Amino acid sequence: MEGKNNTDYVSEIKRMKTEKNAIILAHYYQSGDIQDIADFTGDSLALSQKAASNDAEIILFAGVKFMAETAKILAPEKKVLLPDLDAVCSLADSCKPADFKRFIDENPGRTVVSYVNTNVEIKALSDIICTSSNAVQIINSLSRDEKVLFAPDRNLGNYVLNETGRDMVIWNGTCHVHEEFSLEAILNLKKQNPDAKIIVHPECELPVRMVADYIGSTSGLLQFTKKDPGKSYIIATEPGIIHQMKKANPDKKYIPAPPKDSTCGCSECNFMKLITIEKIYKCLRDEKPEIFIDAKMISDAQKPIKRMMEISKKLGL
Ligand code: 13P
Ligand code: SF4
């Protein structure tokens, strides 16, 4: 099979999925060819929900490590595969367990709410997890007098603080992809496309969020373009999502927001894009690399994730 083209790999992947009772879960930031072979595509929340409820024996995660870890935590009896273990998340990796523990100790008496974009050790230190889809609702579900410690994304944290008016201390982390969008370039695009709506992921910086017509998770942005009567959009998130937007409404215009450095191509998540069709083929064939997490860590990290899942279910999210 070595040296074959994507079509050969795709048919082999399909055959092995059936033979091994495996499913492929793909995040919206994956390339279009990967999203098209997946059994399920979604944002972090939807992918976690799918990982927790399916009949497969093997989950192959086309995404980054914290997503595959979350799947393993929610379905510890299943084999969870990640085609490239270097597909990490720089935001998650910027929050180290020892530093996070110190941050919690320095801010006692606060409910620890962590974004799903964290490694398993951070989840295990948290009271409740959220994603960009449900962060506002999760914080609003806490009692009014509860003080919150939020980590690791300061932009999402500040967005939630603004929306909820809660007492929050926020870890100073950011996503290198979402921090890179240029307000100036977005406003120039808006001048050239006055009818285009600016739609923005909450991991973007405040000046970009301030010019947004809509702010939401990847699923939220996709739903917005589906339901909105408009015809064109400037999209400030990783451009992988545009694949689904085009599939849903091929006649609309989708303009990726440019990064500050126009030569770097850094509006793409380099970690997400490490996953390729060839790596998926090899991973499914060899059933490795596999995600392993020790039982105690799974149990500690499961509690705050399950709390999020229960609240999301209750709220119909
Ligand atoms: P979503 O929760 O919108 O899927 O975002 C995940 C992510 O990694 C954003 O950078
Ligand atoms: Fe992490 Fe940013 Fe990539 Fe999302 S886009 S996976 S937050 S590095």
Side-chain angles (χ1 to χ4, degrees):
M1 230 357 183
E2 251 57 25
K4 291 279 191 274
N5 61 30
N6 265 14
T7 320
D8 298 328
Y9 289 131
V10 167
S11 60
E12 272 302 290
I13 290 167
K14 282 186 182 154
R15 186 188 61 73
M16 287 190 287
K17 273 199 305 179
T18 315
E19 188 183 289
K20 295 173 184 252
N21 188 18
I23 55 166
I24 298 178
L25 305 185
H27 189 266
Y28 287 138
Y29 294 165
Q30 293 291 295
S31 57
D33 54 354
I34 293 177
Q35 293 188 43
D36 287 345
I37 55 152
D39 297 276
F40 187 81
T41 50
D43 71 351
S44 319
L45 178 63
L47 290 168
S48 307
Q49 288 164 332
K50 191 69 189 172
S53 64
N54 67 81
D55 297 327
E57 287 165 63
I58 297 177
I59 297 175
L60 185 145
F61 221 106
V64 290
K65 197 164 165 217
F66 77 81
M67 296 177 174
E69 279 183 353
T70 305
K72 183 69 185 174
I73 295 163
L74 290 167
E77 72 292 352
K78 294 188 197 292
K79 188 177 265 192
V80 177
L81 305 172
L82 181 66
D84 188 332
L85 290 179
D86 288 333
V88 293
C89 165
S90 54
L91 170 63
D93 282 353
S94 74
C95 188
K96 302 278 181 248
D99 299 335
F100 190 56
K101 237 184 189 156
R102 202 171 320 117
F103 189 55
I104 295 173
D105 291 343
E106 285 164 2
N107 292 282
R110 289 180 178 265
T111 302
V112 178
V113 182
S114 295
Y115 191 26
V116 71
N117 296 36
T118 44
N119 295 321
V120 59
E121 298 83 358
I122 302 299
K123 290 187 174 79
L125 292 168
S126 305
D127 296 307
I128 186 160
I129 304 301
C130 69
T131 76
S132 57
S133 267
N134 60 18
V136 169
Q137 292 90 335
I138 292 286
I139 303 274
N140 272 335
S141 75
L142 305 175
S143 64
R144 261 309 328 162
D145 56 347
E146 252 175 288
K147 293 180 176 177
V148 173
L149 180 152
F150 185 89
D153 189 80
R154 69 162 182 239
N155 292 317
L156 176 65
N158 282 315
Y159 167 71
V160 174
L161 189 155
N162 241 357
E163 293 291 304
T164 63
R166 296 299 178 105
D167 182 334
M168 288 170 69
V169 295
I170 300 168
W171 179 272
N172 192 18
T174 59
C175 160
H176 69 294
V177 174
H178 287 86
E179 281 257 304
E180 256 313 296
F181 293 115
S182 155
L183 176 65
E184 198 189 338
I186 290 174
L187 293 177
N188 276 338
L189 277 175
K190 177 77 179 170
K191 252 189 225 152
Q192 292 155 26
N193 302 271
D195 295 335
K197 290 188 176 137
I198 300 171
I199 61 172
V200 170
H201 196 282
E203 284 177 20
C204 292
E205 291 176 309
L206 179 63
V208 172
R209 296 200 309 275
M210 279 176 68
V211 298
D213 293 288
Y214 175 77
I215 299 173
S217 72
T218 47
S219 287
L221 301 180
L222 175 60
Q223 289 310 318
F224 183 83
T225 60
K226 282 185 183 173
K227 290 184 183 151
D228 182 67
K231 290 274 174 266
S232 72
Y233 306 91
I234 297 165
I235 296 153
T237 194
E238 216 275 3
I241 185 65
I242 295 175
H243 182 66
Q244 296 295 332
M245 292 172 173
K246 279 187 180 156
K247 275 173 96 168
N249 285 103
D251 298 335
K252 292 190 177 190
K253 185 173 171 189
Y254 307 100
I255 310 160
K260 288 169 193 154
D261 174 357
S262 57
T263 62
C264 71
C266 39
S267 61
E268 289 209 332
C269 176
N270 48 322
F271 300 113
M272 285 278 181
K273 286 341 197 224
L274 279 178
I275 309 297
T276 62
I277 291 278
E278 184 179 351
K279 286 182 194 172
I280 291 176
Y281 159 73
K282 288 182 178 160
C283 177
L284 202 48
R285 180 192 66 192
D286 303 340
E287 298 187 17
K288 61 179 198 215
E290 184 176 351
I291 300 291
F292 294 104
I293 305 172
D294 79 61
K296 166 87 172 86
M297 193 61 88
I298 287 189
S299 147
D300 289 350
Q302 215 178 51
K303 286 177 205 125
I305 302 178
K306 286 207 163 155
R307 223 179 130 187
M308 166 187 82
M309 305 284 268
E310 277 154 27
I311 295 170
S312 298
K313 196 171 171 193
K314 227 183 263 169
L315 296 172
L317 300 169

